[in-house]
Amino acid sequence: MAGARKDGSSAFSPTRTHATRKPRMMRSALAFFQGRGNTALLDLDWQSPVGGEENMGQSVMGVQPIQLQPVDEDHRYSYEIVGGYNSNAIRVEFGTIDRQAHDLDWLVLLSFTGCQVAFLKSERSDHIFALADEDAYVYCDKDPCEECVFKCKNGFVLYLHCMRHGVFGLPLSPRGKAKR
């Protein structure tokens, strides 16, 4: 048994959550802005968007907001929640996207406690986001996750940046997964 001690009892991994109830999302969405050239900027001010609520959707400090794109046939990517209690992670697959026609730059995972950024290597067709503490919260130990009625990762969002076409968002929830 993975994570079992010599006496037969199970051990908690360092990444396993100690939360007794599902955590709340700190932020429901991320704001992206267009910088110079094809540079995309991420607003990391967790208290309020750049320039405050009244400036949402407007140019702030010389940068334009990027309109989030729905996942389309050319930018289809998928995910799987793996690992169960002690090694919870999200595996993202983007191998079906034509890397010659679409210059994929990075992935961002919005989670309960914040976000993770991964820069994509041209030779890779997937990425794994390791989860810890509150982000690793699950109701069961199924591997891979069946994304049942409990929706452990509901509120999580994956963002994929294509240098040519913008930022594409994919929510992690049973309803979001059905749309893939």
Side-chain angles (χ1 to χ4, degrees), residues 10-23:
S10 61
F12 277 78
S13 78
T15 61
R16 185 172 175 173
T17 187
H18 294 277
T20 57
R21 63 176 69 163
K22 185 177 176 181

Side-chain angles (χ1 to χ4, degrees), residues 76-145:
R76 186 164 306 280
Y77 59 107
S78 61
Y79 68 90
E80 184 176 45
I81 302 167
V82 296
Y85 289 133
N86 279 327
S87 56
N88 204 243
I90 296 174
R91 179 184 304 126
V92 183
E93 300 277 341
F94 45 89
T96 59
I97 300 174
D98 181 357
R99 299 293 289 270
Q100 299 297 325
H102 304 281
D103 190 6
L104 304 182
D105 191 21
W106 46 255
L107 280 167
V108 173
L109 171 66
L110 174 65
S111 64
F112 294 129
T113 62
C115 66
Q116 295 183 43
V117 179
F119 295 100
L120 303 178
K121 296 178 179 180
S122 60
E123 66 273 6
R124 296 285 309 264
S125 63
D126 67 342
H127 181 77
I128 295 178
F129 288 104
L131 302 176
D133 198 22
E134 290 182 348
D135 290 339
Y137 183 82
V138 293
Y139 285 98
C140 69
D141 200 22
K142 293 189 177 161
D143 183 13
C145 174

